[in-house]
Amino acid sequence: ETGVTQTPRHLVMGMTNKKSLKCEQHLGHNAMYWYKQSAKKPLELMFVYSLEERVENNSVPSRFSPECPNSSHLFLHLHTLQPEDSALYLCASSQTWGSEKLFFGSGTQLSVL
Amino acid sequence: AQKVTQAQTEISVVEKEDVTLDCVYETRDTTYYLFWYKQPPSGELVFLIRRNSFDEQNEISGRYSWNFQKSTSSFNFTITASQVVDSAVYFCALSEAGNTDKLIFGTGTRLQVFP
């Protein structure tokens, strides 16, 4: 079992749909992250949660809504997305916020039609 | 502003060749950390190494080695005797004083190793 698990692996949605991405970490970490990976662009940090509190929101549009119900789970709720939101969304965790070593999940490949 | 440049978009080599992945960074901080991550086809990024700005010693780990040169703001990664399993996208990254919420990634270099 991998340390950080993301579901689904692939998601296709229309611009009017509402969907959620799920991330679960089995490492006992206290910080979790959402990153966006677009083709030919650097990874972009979207959100950081530390001890279930959001500590960073990197100017992400409100159509992306994160939720961290406990230290092991992180969700990214999606609604009224745009085609340019199509990307690989990666979840990561670390022992503490500001810790140097991140552990990543395999990502959810999102396509917005 | 902080920035990481990986000028090589794609590199193809044949097994057993040595290959070097370039990374050039920009920062005004005197204390910073540099990272390399590997992203295999399965998607997850795998941490490879972290170096701090005060330690310019080169590091070797098996077939992997890293050359950190502050004078040229570079942190290059060499794979010796490459193998097919090394095929992946490799990301160089920079953070200030170890704060990963400020982790700045490069655009990555896709390495393909052919048998």
Side-chain angles (χ1 to χ4, degrees):
Chain A
E1 184 178 291
T2 58
V4 180
T5 305
Q6 289 186 244
T7 54
R9 288 299 309 273
H10 302 274
L11 179 62
V12 179
M13 59 187 289
M15 289 191 284
T16 57
N17 291 158
K18 289 185 180 180
K19 297 285 184 184
S20 295
L21 310 185
K22 180 182 176 183
C23 176
E24 183 175 0
Q25 58 98 357
H26 313 277
L27 302 168
H29 289 169
N30 291 322
M32 296 187 77
Y33 310 75
W34 280 116
Y35 278 87
K36 177 183 178 182
Q37 184 178 7
S38 305
K40 300 185 180 178
K41 292 176 70 176
L43 270 75
E44 302 169 53
L45 178 65
M46 300 175 71
F47 301 103
V48 181
Y49 275 81
S50 175
L51 296 171
E52 298 136 55
E53 285 196 25
R54 191 189 309 180
V55 295
E56 184 95 16
N57 177 349
N58 230 20
S59 302
V60 180
S62 59
R63 57 186 184 270
F64 295 91
S65 173
E67 178 190 1
C68 188
N70 55 62
S71 59
S72 299
H73 293 87
L74 184 65
F75 295 89
L76 188 63
H77 303 301
L78 317 171
H79 61 98
T80 59
L81 294 192
Q82 305 297 312
E84 60 264 28
D85 296 322
S86 298
L88 180 68
Y89 289 84
L90 290 161
C91 174
S93 70
S94 64
Q95 185 65 52
T96 56
W97 177 40
S99 172
E100 302 93 7
K101 190 172 176 181
L102 297 179
F103 292 77
F104 284 83
S106 299
T108 295
Q109 186 66 55
L110 174 68
S111 297
V112 182
L113 304 179
Chain B
Q2 295 184 321
K3 184 180 176 182
V4 175
T5 301
Q6 294 180 256
Q8 304 151 307
T9 307
E10 284 196 39
I11 301 176
S12 295
V13 298
V14 177
E15 238 182 346
K16 298 184 183 177
E17 283 186 29
D18 299 345
V19 58
T20 295
L21 310 181
D22 298 333
C23 174
V24 174
Y25 62 92
E26 295 175 30
T27 180
R28 293 180 183 170
D29 297 324
T30 55
T31 303
Y32 52 89
Y33 286 79
L34 295 164
F35 303 78
W36 276 96
Y37 280 86
K38 173 183 179 180
Q39 186 179 37
S42 52
E44 77 282 9
L45 273 77
V46 178
F47 171 88
L48 295 179
I49 189 171
R50 182 212 75 174
R51 300 308 301 273
N52 73 56
S53 52
F54 298 109
D55 183 3
E56 286 193 72
Q57 265 195 327
N58 291 333
E59 181 152 342
I60 297 175
S61 176
R63 296 184 297 106
Y64 295 171
S65 61
W66 291 269
N67 183 358
F68 176 27
Q69 296 208 347
K70 277 177 102 167
S71 59
T72 55
S73 297
S74 65
F75 186 44
N76 296 337
F77 173 31
T78 297
I79 302 175
T80 303
S82 59
Q83 300 176 2
V84 173
V85 294
D86 297 326
S87 298
V89 180
Y90 291 86
F91 291 93
C92 180
L94 165 73
S95 76
E96 54 182 18
N99 286 326
T100 51
D101 60 319
K102 305 279 187 221
L103 202 62
I104 308 297
F105 283 87
T107 50
T109 297
R110 180 177 298 279
L111 173 65
Q112 292 198 333
V113 182
F114 293 98

